Amino acid sequence: MADGTVVLLTVPEVMASLKLGRSTVYDLIRSRRLVSIKVGRARRIPADAVRDFVVTAVQEAA
């Protein structure tokens, strides 16, 4: 973000924004197509990583 703030999303938030199921989101994380971090036991996905994933997927589809 412009002010240096990083927005972290939960897996359910990513599921909702991409209209994908839980298994698919975790498969994308495991395959490193979607960047994520662990905070304690929780998995968080930077909002920029979701945007980058979509941009890459659109470019690959073109």
Side-chain angles (χ1 to χ4, degrees):
M1 306 206 79
D3 64 358
T5 303
V6 176
V7 176
L8 296 175
L9 304 173
T10 63
V11 169
E13 289 172 329
V14 173
M15 290 167 52
S17 81
L18 295 178
K19 307 290 192 271
L20 296 173
R22 177 181 170 93
S23 296
T24 303
V25 171
Y26 278 108
D27 286 343
L28 291 170
I29 291 168
R30 267 191 289 283
S31 67
R32 299 183 186 264
R33 293 185 65 206
L34 185 60
V35 174
S36 71
I37 61 170
K38 284 198 80 171
V39 180
R41 290 179 34 138
R43 180 69 60 181
R44 295 294 181 259
I45 300 97
D48 287 346
V50 176
R51 181 187 46 78
D52 293 345
F53 168 75
V54 172
V55 168
T56 300
V58 168
Q59 290 172 345
E60 289 174 358

